[in-house]
Amino acid sequence: MTKFLITPSLLSSFAWYLSDESKDSRKKFLNTLGKVKTPTTPAQQKGLDFEARINEFCGQFISGIYEYDIIARDIANIVKGGLWQQACKKDLQVGDKEFLLYGKMDVVKRDTIYDIKFTSNYELGKFLNSAQHLIYLYCTGLPKFQYLISDGKDYWIEDYHNHADIENEIKNKITYFLSYLKNDQEAKELFETKWGAKND
Amino acid sequence: MTLIKKPNELTQSKIKLKGLIYGQPGTGKTSVALSSPKPLLIDFDNGLRRVSKQYQTDSVQIESYQNLLDILEKENITNYETIVIDTLGKMIDRIADWLAISNPKVKQADGQLSMKGWGNVKAEFQRLLKLLESKNKSVIFIAHEKEEKVGDEVMKRPDVAGSSGKDIVKELDFMGYMSIKGGKRTIDLAPNEAYYAKNSLGLDSFLEYKTLTGINNFLTDKIFDAYKEKLKKDEKLSNDYNSLIEELKNKINNIKNIEELNLYYSTVYNQHEKFWTSYDMEKTFLSDKIKELNCEFDKKTKQFICNNKEEVKGEVKND
C-alpha cells in the first residue's frame, strides 16, 4: 500500500485555500500539491532574513547591522543552544490509509520545539489552528511547542503542550483533507502522484 | 545575605505569577481571583459586593489610576501576596484617563485611544507590572469577555479597550476562560476555537471550580502550589537531562579512532532511552567527531571508513 507524506505546509496551504476565496489561493494550493517551486515573495524573504539573523546571533560571528536586530537578539536569547533544522517524522494510520508525517523544525532545545514567525499583522491565537505544532509535538513526543512571533518591533509567544488527544486532532485534519480531495479531482491526482512517501 | 539564588532555591521561594481570569458576568471570576494567596482586591468595578460575604477580602475602591499608584507606593501592603485587579478593562480606561491629563493627544475626538495613546497605555501597563514585581507581588486581573470575528468564526477574548489584548496577554503567565457548563464552573487555560487562553506554566489546563464550603484557596491550590510542585519536577528532569547529555558528550569525546567510532555506532548509538532531544544531541556530537576523524559513512557496510580527502562529508542519520 502506498504511504503518503503529510507536512504542516501542505495542511496550512489547504487551510489557507479554504479560508481565502481568491483565485490566487487555489493556484497556490495546487502549486503546493504539485510541489511547484515558486519565487520567494518579499514577505517570505523578510521571514527568512529574520530567522537567519536570529541564527547568526546564536553563533559567534555577527555581521553588520540589520533592521530588526533588537528583537532578533531577544529571540536568539530564547533559542540559543538549540539545534536548528532538525527533521522529525512519524507514521500514522488514518482509516485504511498510511501516512508519514514529516517536518523540519526551526529550533529544538531541551524539551521545547520553537518555530519562528515573522508577520506584519499578528493577532492573538493566530496559530491556534495550525497543524504545525500538532505534527511536531506528535512526531517528537516533546512536551512543549512555542511559536516565537514578531513584527520586527515586538514579539509574542504562543505556547502549546503535548496532550493525549493530539493524534486524534491530526487524524481529524487529515480526514477533512481527504474528504475534500474526493470532490476535487485535480487536487486529488496531484496529491496521489506527488506525495507518495517513497518519493521524498 | 546574598541575592544570588541557585536553581533549587528558586523552587523553595514564594511563587510570583501574573494571571488573568475572564468570562461572562456572574460566573464567579472575582471569587476565584480572591482564592489566590493573601489577596488585596483593587476594586475598579465595585465587584466585591457580588462576592459571598464569607469570601470577601480586604479591598480598596479605586476612582482613578493615581489612587492605585498611591496605594502601591505609599500604603503598607507587605501583608498581601497577591494584588487582584477588578477589572482589567476598567483599569486600562483609568490609565488612559490618567495619561490624558498630561497629554490629551492619547485620546481621539471620540474619546477612543489613539494609536500613540495605546502605545503609552501599554508602556504604563508594563511599568505597573514591574512595580508589582519589585514589591514581590503576584497579580491577578479579572476581565469581562468580548466576542471578535476571526475569519468565519467568533472567538471570545478579554474585553480590553484599544487593543486586541496581545500586548497584555504577552506579559501574563496564564489566562483562563471561566464559564458555567452543566451547572459546573470551569476555567480553561488551553486556547481553542471558541476562546483564547494561555498556559505558559504547563499546568493541567482544565479546572473545575467547585462550590465553596471551606477556605477559598482554589487558585492557591490549583495554580500557585501546583506550579511550585511542577517546578520541582521540572528541575529534577532538567538535571537528569543535563547528566545524560554530559555523559553522551564525554563518551563521544573519548572516541580516539575509527575502530572506536564504529564500535560506538554499532553498540551504543541511539541505544539509550530517548529523553527529550537526547538523540538529536547525540547525533550532533557524533557528527562533530566524524568530521574530526575525517571519516564518512558507508551505507553498504554500515560502517565508517577513513577518508583521506580534505573534504569531509561526515553525517549520521537517526534510524
mmCIF file of all heavy atoms in Angstrom, chain B residues 238-258:
data_model
loop_
_atom_site.group_PDB
_atom_site.id
_atom_site.type_symbol
_atom_site.label_atom_id
_atom_site.label_comp_id
_atom_site.label_asym_id
_atom_site.label_seq_id
_atom_site.Cartn_x
_atom_site.Cartn_y
_atom_site.Cartn_z
ATOM 1 N N SER B 238 15.293 18.302 34.433
ATOM 2 C CA SER B 238 16.345 19.100 33.816
ATOM 3 C C SER B 238 17.727 18.601 34.232
ATOM 4 O O SER B 238 18.630 18.479 33.401
ATOM 5 C CB SER B 238 16.148 20.558 34.238
ATOM 6 O OG SER B 238 16.996 21.367 33.495
ATOM 7 N N ASN B 239 17.857 18.296 35.508
ATOM 8 C CA ASN B 239 19.148 17.774 35.999
ATOM 9 C C ASN B 239 19.460 16.422 35.373
ATOM 10 O O ASN B 239 20.604 16.158 34.985
ATOM 11 C CB ASN B 239 19.126 17.641 37.529
ATOM 12 C CG ASN B 239 19.163 18.989 38.200
ATOM 13 O OD1 ASN B 239 19.584 19.983 37.595
ATOM 14 N ND2 ASN B 239 18.708 19.052 39.438
ATOM 15 N N ASP B 240 18.440 15.556 35.274
ATOM 16 C CA ASP B 240 18.646 14.232 34.673
ATOM 17 C C ASP B 240 19.055 14.369 33.207
ATOM 18 O O ASP B 240 19.925 13.664 32.716
ATOM 19 C CB ASP B 240 17.358 13.387 34.764
ATOM 20 C CG ASP B 240 17.053 12.981 36.198
ATOM 21 O OD1 ASP B 240 17.932 13.171 37.060
ATOM 22 O OD2 ASP B 240 15.933 12.498 36.453
ATOM 23 N N TYR B 241 18.388 15.299 32.514
ATOM 24 C CA TYR B 241 18.711 15.526 31.093
ATOM 25 C C TYR B 241 20.153 16.026 30.959
ATOM 26 O O TYR B 241 20.917 15.521 30.130
ATOM 27 C CB TYR B 241 17.730 16.547 30.508
ATOM 28 C CG TYR B 241 18.030 16.934 29.085
ATOM 29 C CD1 TYR B 241 17.634 16.125 28.016
ATOM 30 C CD2 TYR B 241 18.707 18.125 28.793
ATOM 31 C CE1 TYR B 241 17.903 16.485 26.705
ATOM 32 C CE2 TYR B 241 18.978 18.487 27.482
ATOM 33 C CZ TYR B 241 18.577 17.670 26.446
ATOM 34 O OH TYR B 241 18.851 18.027 25.141
ATOM 35 N N ASN B 242 20.526 16.992 31.791
ATOM 36 C CA ASN B 242 21.899 17.530 31.736
ATOM 37 C C ASN B 242 22.925 16.429 31.954
ATOM 38 O O ASN B 242 23.946 16.374 31.263
ATOM 39 C CB ASN B 242 22.090 18.605 32.805
ATOM 40 C CG ASN B 242 21.334 19.870 32.464
ATOM 41 O OD1 ASN B 242 20.909 20.047 31.329
ATOM 42 N ND2 ASN B 242 21.155 20.737 33.444
ATOM 43 N N SER B 243 22.645 15.545 32.917
ATOM 44 C CA SER B 243 23.582 14.454 33.218
ATOM 45 C C SER B 243 23.726 13.528 32.018
ATOM 46 O O SER B 243 24.849 13.127 31.666
ATOM 47 C CB SER B 243 23.098 13.617 34.408
ATOM 48 O OG SER B 243 22.951 14.429 35.508
ATOM 49 N N LEU B 244 22.598 13.184 31.402
ATOM 50 C CA LEU B 244 22.635 12.289 30.245
ATOM 51 C C LEU B 244 23.419 12.921 29.089
ATOM 52 O O LEU B 244 24.266 12.265 28.466
ATOM 53 C CB LEU B 244 21.207 11.945 29.794
ATOM 54 C CG LEU B 244 21.088 11.128 28.509
ATOM 55 C CD1 LEU B 244 21.750 9.757 28.658
ATOM 56 C CD2 LEU B 244 19.626 10.953 28.105
ATOM 57 N N ILE B 245 23.163 14.181 28.814
ATOM 58 C CA ILE B 245 23.841 14.865 27.703
ATOM 59 C C ILE B 245 25.351 14.943 27.978
ATOM 60 O O ILE B 245 26.176 14.714 27.084
ATOM 61 C CB ILE B 245 23.241 16.283 27.486
ATOM 62 C CG1 ILE B 245 21.775 16.178 27.075
ATOM 63 C CG2 ILE B 245 24.038 17.080 26.456
ATOM 64 C CD1 ILE B 245 21.485 15.397 25.810
ATOM 65 N N GLU B 246 25.685 15.227 29.209
ATOM 66 C CA GLU B 246 27.112 15.304 29.592
ATOM 67 C C GLU B 246 27.783 13.944 29.404
ATOM 68 O O GLU B 246 28.908 13.854 28.900
ATOM 69 C CB GLU B 246 27.195 15.765 31.060
ATOM 70 C CG GLU B 246 28.532 16.318 31.491
ATOM 71 C CD GLU B 246 29.011 17.503 30.669
ATOM 72 O OE1 GLU B 246 28.164 18.288 30.194
ATOM 73 O OE2 GLU B 246 30.233 17.598 30.460
ATOM 74 N N GLU B 247 27.056 12.894 29.799
ATOM 75 C CA GLU B 247 27.588 11.529 29.665
ATOM 76 C C GLU B 247 27.816 11.182 28.182
ATOM 77 O O GLU B 247 28.867 10.654 27.820
ATOM 78 C CB GLU B 247 26.574 10.561 30.289
ATOM 79 C CG GLU B 247 27.044 9.125 30.379
ATOM 80 C CD GLU B 247 25.891 8.217 30.842
ATOM 81 O OE1 GLU B 247 25.117 8.638 31.721
ATOM 82 O OE2 GLU B 247 25.779 7.109 30.303
ATOM 83 N N LEU B 248 26.828 11.505 27.337
ATOM 84 C CA LEU B 248 26.954 11.223 25.901
ATOM 85 C C LEU B 248 28.123 12.007 25.297
ATOM 86 O O LEU B 248 28.912 11.477 24.513
ATOM 87 C CB LEU B 248 25.653 11.596 25.167
ATOM 88 C CG LEU B 248 24.419 10.756 25.486
ATOM 89 C CD1 LEU B 248 23.165 11.401 24.906
ATOM 90 C CD2 LEU B 248 24.572 9.336 24.946
ATOM 91 N N LYS B 249 28.224 13.246 25.699
ATOM 92 C CA LYS B 249 29.285 14.124 25.181
ATOM 93 C C LYS B 249 30.659 13.552 25.545
ATOM 94 O O LYS B 249 31.553 13.478 24.690
ATOM 95 C CB LYS B 249 29.106 15.513 25.807
ATOM 96 C CG LYS B 249 29.864 16.608 25.123
ATOM 97 C CD LYS B 249 29.507 17.923 25.804
ATOM 98 C CE LYS B 249 30.186 19.076 25.136
ATOM 99 N NZ LYS B 249 29.821 20.348 25.772
ATOM 100 N N ASN B 250 30.791 13.143 26.793
ATOM 101 C CA ASN B 250 32.082 12.597 27.247
ATOM 102 C C ASN B 250 32.430 11.308 26.510
ATOM 103 O O ASN B 250 33.575 11.114 26.093
ATOM 104 C CB ASN B 250 32.049 12.338 28.766
ATOM 105 C CG ASN B 250 32.108 13.630 29.532
ATOM 106 O OD1 ASN B 250 32.592 14.646 29.008
ATOM 107 N ND2 ASN B 250 31.610 13.629 30.753
ATOM 108 N N LYS B 251 31.434 10.431 26.367
ATOM 109 C CA LYS B 251 31.687 9.153 25.683
ATOM 110 C C LYS B 251 32.178 9.417 24.256
ATOM 111 O O LYS B 251 33.121 8.779 23.788
ATOM 112 C CB LYS B 251 30.402 8.316 25.621
ATOM 113 C CG LYS B 251 30.149 7.508 26.876
ATOM 114 C CD LYS B 251 28.897 6.656 26.686
ATOM 115 C CE LYS B 251 28.542 5.915 27.959
ATOM 116 N NZ LYS B 251 27.230 5.301 27.874
ATOM 117 N N ILE B 252 31.529 10.330 23.577
ATOM 118 C CA ILE B 252 31.896 10.597 22.174
ATOM 119 C C ILE B 252 33.229 11.347 22.106
ATOM 120 O O ILE B 252 34.050 11.082 21.224
ATOM 121 C CB ILE B 252 30.750 11.345 21.456
ATOM 122 C CG1 ILE B 252 29.542 10.400 21.344
ATOM 123 C CG2 ILE B 252 31.167 11.835 20.075
ATOM 124 C CD1 ILE B 252 28.252 11.029 20.879
ATOM 125 N N ASN B 253 33.439 12.228 23.039
ATOM 126 C CA ASN B 253 34.735 12.937 23.093
ATOM 127 C C ASN B 253 35.897 11.964 23.247
ATOM 128 O O ASN B 253 36.989 12.197 22.746
ATOM 129 C CB ASN B 253 34.760 13.907 24.278
ATOM 130 C CG ASN B 253 34.312 15.285 23.850
ATOM 131 O OD1 ASN B 253 34.280 15.588 22.654
ATOM 132 N ND2 ASN B 253 33.950 16.106 24.810
ATOM 133 N N ASN B 254 35.639 10.844 23.959
ATOM 134 C CA ASN B 254 36.710 9.879 24.234
ATOM 135 C C ASN B 254 37.000 8.942 23.061
ATOM 136 O O ASN B 254 37.931 8.128 23.147
ATOM 137 C CB ASN B 254 36.365 9.047 25.477
ATOM 138 C CG ASN B 254 36.488 9.890 26.729
ATOM 139 O OD1 ASN B 254 37.248 10.858 26.754
ATOM 140 N ND2 ASN B 254 35.734 9.541 27.762
ATOM 141 N N ILE B 255 36.215 9.011 22.002
ATOM 142 C CA ILE B 255 36.491 8.177 20.822
ATOM 143 C C ILE B 255 37.763 8.698 20.154
ATOM 144 O O ILE B 255 37.853 9.885 19.815
ATOM 145 C CB ILE B 255 35.289 8.223 19.826
ATOM 146 C CG1 ILE B 255 34.050 7.599 20.470
ATOM 147 C CG2 ILE B 255 35.649 7.528 18.523
ATOM 148 C CD1 ILE B 255 32.772 7.753 19.649
ATOM 149 N N LYS B 256 38.730 7.784 19.980
ATOM 150 C CA LYS B 256 40.048 8.227 19.500
ATOM 151 C C LYS B 256 40.330 7.826 18.054
ATOM 152 O O LYS B 256 41.188 8.416 17.399
ATOM 153 C CB LYS B 256 41.162 7.629 20.396
ATOM 154 C CG LYS B 256 41.122 8.112 21.840
ATOM 155 C CD LYS B 256 41.674 9.516 21.937
ATOM 156 C CE LYS B 256 41.727 10.023 23.362
ATOM 157 N NZ LYS B 256 40.408 10.200 23.982
ATOM 158 N N ASN B 257 39.651 6.781 17.573
ATOM 159 C CA ASN B 257 39.976 6.301 16.226
ATOM 160 C C ASN B 257 38.735 5.663 15.580
ATOM 161 O O ASN B 257 37.681 5.540 16.217
ATOM 162 C CB ASN B 257 41.129 5.285 16.284
ATOM 163 C CG ASN B 257 40.834 4.193 17.312
ATOM 164 O OD1 ASN B 257 39.726 3.644 17.328
ATOM 165 N ND2 ASN B 257 41.793 3.917 18.188
ATOM 166 N N ILE B 258 38.917 5.241 14.352
ATOM 167 C CA ILE B 258 37.784 4.725 13.580
ATOM 168 C C ILE B 258 37.204 3.439 14.168
ATOM 169 O O ILE B 258 35.992 3.213 14.113
ATOM 170 C CB ILE B 258 38.173 4.542 12.099
ATOM 171 C CG1 ILE B 258 36.930 4.215 11.280
ATOM 172 C CG2 ILE B 258 39.243 3.481 11.915
ATOM 173 C CD1 ILE B 258 36.963 4.765 9.917
#
